[in-house]
Amino acid sequence: VKGMYNQSIAVYDDSFREKLLREKAITDAMVTALEEGEFIVYLQPKYSLNNNRIVGAEALVRWIHPEWGFMFPGEFIPLFEKNGFISSLDQFVWENVCAKLQEWKEKGYLLLPMSVNVSRNDIFQGSLVDIFSGLIKKYDIDPQYLHLEITESAYAECGNRIVNTIEELRKLGFTIEMDDFGSGYSVLNTIVDIPVDVIKIDRGFITSCLETDRGIYFLKHLIDMIRNL
């Protein structure tokens, strides 16, 4: 009942304990899982409706545990963001994607931009620019093929620090994407203040806008404004 001023009694539910035990088990297993190759990077294609072609992909990480099986990110990513392990997992994904781009380049395949997630934990580490410039040198790839995807909430929470980091990354040739745009923060402030190249509008935001004529009108003009910016 903590923080619930209109309720003074709560009935105990064993699911609370089960949740804590599950989180403890995940935390205990995460380092070994990374070392043992249990985290797998999948590439979700980006498909253009304008020319009916695949124009890129987004790297998504999944955990295939030897006992628990296939785990969706909703179960472990929020926990990793809380305990800081997300930075180690993110860097694993970045290395994996860069290695894949290098392999395709050496085989003469057509290269397409790959989007990778950057968490707010990564931004506060302070070495993000050095890490990504080091990766493109190590794997000999053009930064145009690496799109860095940062959630709107991270922009809202990291202030000037993220603006400076993004400007440095863009100077190096990286494309910056804003993910989950419209998912609950000050939409207009974010797009005016932050220098990004691509904006991914949150699915829930689009769905809610499509329910009314006013919402459709707002969505249409929001997209026009984003393009103009």
Side-chain angles (χ1 to χ4, degrees):
V1 297
K2 188 183 291 185
M4 300 172 66
Y5 303 109
N6 62 340
Q7 186 176 339
S8 56
I9 297 173
V11 179
Y12 175 75
D13 185 339
D14 199 48
S15 64
F16 294 123
R17 179 174 174 275
E18 290 170 2
K19 181 174 180 288
L20 288 173
L21 289 174
R22 177 69 168 177
E23 288 182 356
K24 177 72 166 57
I26 289 173
T27 302
D28 289 345
M30 62 190 187
V31 174
T32 304
L34 190 57
E35 292 170 350
E36 298 292 330
E38 294 173 17
F39 291 103
I40 308 296
V41 177
Y42 288 84
L43 298 178
Q44 176 175 277
K46 291 181 179 179
Y47 187 79
S48 171
L49 296 175
N50 292 328
N51 55 22
N52 296 318
R53 288 184 177 178
I54 292 175
V55 293
E58 179 180 356
L60 304 172
V61 67
R62 299 292 182 263
W63 186 353
I64 303 179
H65 192 275
E67 294 177 25
W68 306 330
F70 188 96
M71 296 169 63
F72 285 97
E75 185 171 12
F76 58 87
I77 293 293
L79 185 58
F80 291 172
E81 287 176 339
K82 275 198 295 184
N83 64 26
F85 187 69
I86 190 67
S87 294
S88 299
L89 186 60
D90 283 345
Q91 290 190 42
F92 163 76
V93 174
W94 303 340
E95 287 267 0
N96 188 289
V97 169
C98 289
K100 184 64 68 179
L101 285 168
Q102 182 189 50
E103 178 191 340
W104 290 352
K105 178 184 173 183
E106 290 173 351
K107 290 181 176 178
Y109 295 165
L110 173 68
L111 296 185
L112 295 172
M114 301 288 182
S115 296
V116 296
N117 287 302
V118 177
S119 73
R120 70 200 87 181
N121 298 59
D122 302 323
I123 295 159
F124 282 115
Q125 282 192 341
S127 56
L128 208 55
V129 175
D130 293 336
I131 290 171
F132 279 112
S133 58
L135 282 170
I136 59 173
K137 287 175 187 171
K138 177 181 176 180
Y139 292 98
D140 189 29
I141 56 175
D142 193 310
Q144 68 171 310
Y145 295 115
L146 206 56
H147 289 197
L148 312 182
E149 194 170 290
I150 309 171
T151 61
E152 185 196 9
S153 59
Y155 288 104
E157 292 171 22
C158 298
N160 290 334
R161 180 169 195 146
I162 198 169
V163 175
N164 297 335
T165 302
I166 285 173
E167 286 176 344
E168 286 188 62
L169 288 166
R170 291 181 81 211
K171 284 176 187 173
L172 291 174
F174 293 99
T175 296
I176 308 297
E177 301 182 356
M178 180 186 292
D179 195 15
D180 297 337
F181 179 76
S183 59
Y185 288 80
S186 179
V187 232
L188 299 180
N189 280 358
T190 322
I191 55 173
V192 170
D193 296 339
I194 309 290
V196 296
D197 304 294
V198 176
I199 288 183
K200 294 174 65 180
I201 302 177
D202 180 69
R203 179 180 177 274
F205 181 74
I206 292 176
T207 304
S208 62
C209 284
L210 294 178
E211 291 175 354
T212 64
D213 290 340
R214 287 168 64 90
I216 292 170
Y217 177 85
F218 176 77
L219 185 61
K220 178 184 181 299
H221 286 278
L222 176 65
I223 292 171
D224 288 341
M225 181 171 61
I226 290 170
R227 284 182 175 146
N228 290 333
L229 284 171

